[in-house]
């Protein structure tokens, strides 16, 4: 397969679960699925394209040296077929699977390789009995009456981890100078640092290393806006300007999710979403958890992942190697 054929095959495997989209019997009965790769393929150039589609990669091996911290939860299945023949390997996690692109030494010749784990990546309970990630075989058709939007997000992702450490919300809200939406706070405490459908990541206060801190992130951009006379957010201001934007989530594709803090009741704040050029804004009048649930399940949602996946999950980045 050339580069374009490889990209199409990877997309078929991770997006549509389409083993039949991979030519002939290739991949059947194998895990991970190794795609036939033309020797002319430049795996470094292909890696850049994969990063543009699936986000930042993890380096599993470079210069013939394998990262000793790699585990089954951080990409080791991509290395298993090659043993000490791995020269380089980069990995992306997407739609519950690992994508690998790199080079291996075969008969003294370094050849490019592309492979995809054939089954969703599943997290096993750690020493405390917690599960970092669950990809249900079939997501729920809908919650029962009387459940909250947070309950619905939990149900559709199959999330089973118990509630995490409580956040000192009084201190957080005192520093921000505003009360925050109640269901956002519950989402943070239920899910923690991670991403929904490997796409939407919450900004959380006092999170673990690698997370975007809700307070520091918004304070930084508010200072930047003040220094440059408003910046690309116009005609909106940034909090703490009256009715200003307060960012609560982001994606690796540089979409930004804000509350418009125009109402005295934060549970009534509308949500505004824009891309990296800040040229267009989508508005959603509803709660934060409702927004997340509809993003996951409603293909009509302007930022929908339901158009791409028929099952939904949450990837936790806390204790990833634990």
């Amino acid at each position: 397969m050339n580069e374009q054929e490889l990209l199409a095959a990877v997309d078929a495997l991770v997006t549509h679960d389409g083993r039949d989209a991979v030519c002939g019997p290739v991949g059947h009965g194998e895990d991970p699925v190794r795609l036939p790769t033309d020797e002319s393929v430049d795996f470094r150039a292909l890696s850049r394209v994969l990063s543009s589609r699936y986000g930042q990669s993890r380096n599993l091996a470079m210069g013939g040296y394998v990262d000793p911290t790699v585990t089954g939860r951080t990409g080791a299945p991509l290395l298993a077929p090659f043993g000490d023949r791995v020269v380089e390997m980069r990995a992306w996690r997407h739609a519950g699977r690992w994508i690998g692109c790199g080079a291996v030494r075969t008969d003294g010749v370094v050849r490019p390789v592309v492979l995809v784990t054939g089954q969703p990546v599943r997290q096993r309970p750690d020493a405390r009995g917690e599960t970092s990630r669950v990809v249900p075989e079939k997501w729920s058709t809908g919650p029962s009456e009387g459940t909250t939007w947070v309950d619905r997000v939990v149900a559709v992702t199959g999330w089973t981890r118990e509630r995490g450490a409580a956040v000192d919300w009084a201190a957080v809200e005192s520093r921000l100078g505003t009360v925050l939406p109640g269901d956002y706070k519950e989402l943070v405490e239920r899910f923690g640092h991670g991403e929904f459908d490997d796409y939407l990541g919450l900004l959380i206060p006092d999170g673990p290393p690698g997370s975007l801190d809700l307070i520091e992130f918004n304070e930084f951009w508010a200072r930047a806006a003040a220094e440059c006379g408003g910046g690309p957010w116009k005609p909106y201001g940034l909090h703490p300007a009256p009715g200003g934007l307060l960012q609560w989530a982001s994606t690796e594709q540089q979409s930004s999710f804000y509350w418009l803090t125009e109402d005295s009741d934060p549970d009534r704040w509308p949500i505004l979403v824009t891309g990296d050029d800040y040229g267009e804004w989508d508005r959603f009048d509803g709660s934060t958890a409702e927004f997340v649930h509809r993003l996951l399940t409603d293909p009509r949602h302007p930022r929908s992942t339901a158009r791409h996946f028929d099952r939904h999950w949450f990837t936790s980045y806390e204790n990833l190697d634990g």
Side-chain angles (χ1 to χ4, degrees):
M1 292 184 178
N2 60 30
E3 179 177 307
Q4 293 305 313
E5 291 169 333
L6 287 168
L7 291 169
V10 169
D11 182 69
L13 285 167
V14 301
T15 303
H16 307 296
D17 201 17
R19 287 174 178 264
D20 292 338
V22 181
C23 61
V26 173
H28 289 269
E30 298 179 12
D31 191 11
V33 176
R34 182 174 176 180
L35 302 174
T37 306
D38 293 351
E39 293 186 13
S40 61
V41 169
D42 182 341
F43 78 87
R44 290 187 176 88
L46 182 59
S47 293
R48 290 192 289 271
V49 178
L50 290 169
S51 290
S52 71
R53 295 188 176 195
Y54 303 112
Q56 185 175 1
S57 66
R58 177 188 177 105
N59 280 333
L60 306 186
M62 293 184 65
Y65 293 95
V66 174
D67 182 348
T69 68
V70 174
T71 71
R73 291 196 287 178
T74 57
L78 298 172
L79 301 173
F82 309 111
D84 60 3
R85 296 185 293 119
V86 176
V87 177
E88 294 196 34
M89 185 65 69
R90 297 175 186 172
W92 297 259
R93 184 162 44 186
H94 185 77
R97 289 169 165 78
W98 281 108
I99 304 165
C101 180
V104 299
R105 193 175 302 279
T106 304
D107 298 328
V109 178
V110 176
R111 305 178 188 276
V113 292
V114 177
L115 58 164
V116 178
T117 54
Q119 297 297 324
V121 177
R122 293 182 179 275
Q123 302 289 1
R124 302 303 181 189
D126 60 20
R128 296 171 296 174
E130 294 182 348
T131 302
S132 296
R133 176 200 192 103
V134 174
V135 183
E137 291 301 321
K138 185 175 182 180
W139 54 278
S140 171
T141 56
S144 59
E145 291 295 327
T147 57
T148 67
W149 284 110
V150 173
D151 292 332
R152 298 181 185 202
V153 175
V154 169
V156 80
T157 57
W159 188 243
T160 60
R161 196 177 73 176
E162 293 299 321
R163 197 179 288 263
V167 177
D168 186 350
W169 291 111
V172 169
E173 292 169 336
S174 175
R175 181 168 169 183
L176 281 172
T178 181
V179 177
L180 295 170
D183 61 348
Y184 158 79
K185 293 187 283 188
E186 189 173 355
L187 284 171
V188 168
E189 293 194 351
R190 292 291 292 269
F191 290 93
H193 174 37
E195 291 182 330
F196 295 96
D197 280 5
D198 287 342
Y199 174 70
L200 179 76
L202 300 175
L203 275 62
I204 60 178
D206 302 322
S211 62
L212 290 177
D213 185 88
L214 176 76
I215 299 173
E216 294 179 354
F217 189 87
N218 280 286
E219 287 180 341
F220 173 85
W221 286 113
R223 289 194 299 270
E227 292 171 0
C228 67
W233 301 275
K234 291 181 177 179
Y236 305 103
L238 293 186
H239 178 82
L245 300 171
L246 184 63
Q247 188 167 347
W248 61 272
S250 65
T251 73
E252 288 188 355
Q253 293 75 23
Q254 299 184 8
S255 295
S256 300
F257 301 77
Y258 297 90
W259 294 300
L260 184 60
T261 62
E262 60 184 7
D263 197 290
S264 59
D265 180 359
D267 291 327
R268 296 175 60 87
W269 286 347
I271 290 168
L272 294 179
V273 187
T274 189
D276 60 352
D277 62 355
Y278 296 88
E280 295 183 2
W281 295 81
D282 294 317
R283 176 170 173 141
F284 179 87
D285 290 291
S287 75
T288 306
E290 180 183 357
F291 178 91
V292 173
H293 184 269
R294 295 196 183 281
L295 178 146
L296 296 176
T297 62
D298 187 351
R300 297 167 299 178
H301 192 289
R303 303 286 167 166
S304 173
T305 62
R307 293 194 292 266
H308 307 292
F309 310 126
D310 61 359
R311 64 185 75 185
H312 304 279
W313 67 93
F314 181 79
T315 300
S316 174
Y317 297 144
E318 298 181 16
N319 302 316
L320 196 59
D321 298 311

